[in-house]
Amino acid sequence: MNPIKLFKLGQKYMLICPTDKYLAKSFPEIKIISYIKLANYYMGPTLVFLFFWQYYLNANLILMIISAVFLISLPIQGYLWLGKRATSPLPINLLSWYNHVKQKLIDNDVISESKSKTEQLDFIHFMQLITLTKNHFGNYFGEDDNNQENFN
């Protein structure tokens, strides 16, 4: 796949993916997203600091450029990884969870049942389903209803 398309897909996946700590144990992309956001926030001041620091230490121009390119490449690598992760197929252990959550959404008339048999089961569609579930059911991720306790 084209690196520019992967980069754009990584940005889209970053916006779609929920950032709940409940999911962070199962999905590494949630940690990667927080690292990318942190890198984007501190990248500008860090580059300015490194530029002035190396300028006043009389470092080579080549060294300054290499440091800047390295720092700029870190979030770009994260976006590319997210784009590749978004298009990778779901593992077998998540397929049952995907089908269970999708069936709950269909039963509650949140989504309609798709007629096509060629539905893609990749991470971007799974995270869209999880985000939809969170928006409609709160902090509900497809657990059974009989796990809830009654406080009567």
Side-chain angles (χ1 to χ4, degrees):
M1 185 177 255
N2 186 359
I4 294 174
K5 287 183 182 179
L6 272 179
F7 183 80
K8 289 180 181 181
L9 189 62
Q11 288 178 327
K12 181 181 175 185
Y13 188 61
M14 185 172 160
L15 294 175
I16 290 172
C17 193
T19 55
D20 292 343
K21 291 184 180 181
Y22 176 77
L23 293 173
K25 296 175 185 173
S26 302
F27 300 104
E29 56 262 29
I30 295 171
K31 292 179 186 175
I32 300 293
I33 288 171
S34 66
Y35 295 151
I36 292 171
K37 287 180 181 178
L38 185 73
N40 285 338
Y41 184 75
Y42 287 111
M43 188 61 60
T46 304
L47 284 173
V48 170
F49 171 74
L50 280 176
F51 174 75
F52 282 115
W53 182 47
Q54 292 178 357
Y55 178 76
Y56 285 115
L57 289 178
N58 294 325
N60 278 339
L61 181 64
I62 302 291
L63 188 62
M64 283 190 258
I65 292 172
I66 289 172
S67 299
V69 167
F70 173 72
L71 282 176
I72 291 171
S73 74
L74 291 176
I76 292 173
Q77 290 175 28
Y79 285 124
L80 291 174
W81 184 85
L82 285 175
K84 184 159 176 55
R85 174 78 169 182
T87 58
S88 57
L90 281 177
I92 294 173
N93 58 349
L94 287 179
L95 288 177
S96 64
W97 195 23
Y98 176 87
N99 291 328
H100 178 71
V101 169
K102 185 174 179 181
Q103 191 59 44
K104 288 276 187 181
L105 288 171
I106 290 171
D107 291 344
N108 290 316
D109 293 330
V110 176
I111 60 174
S112 62
E113 190 169 357
S114 63
K115 304 284 189 232
S116 76
K117 303 265 184 190
T118 61
E119 184 180 18
Q120 291 181 339
L121 297 177
D122 51 7
F123 276 96
I124 195 163
H125 291 100
F126 181 66
M127 287 301 170
Q128 285 174 342
L129 201 68
I130 293 295
T131 303
L132 237 159
T133 306
K134 184 182 177 201
N135 290 341
H136 285 280
F137 299 118
N139 206 9
Y140 174 81
F141 289 105
E143 289 90 7
D144 290 335
D145 293 332
N146 39 347
N147 287 343
Q148 298 175 356
E149 298 178 7
N150 293 331
F151 295 107
N152 295 341

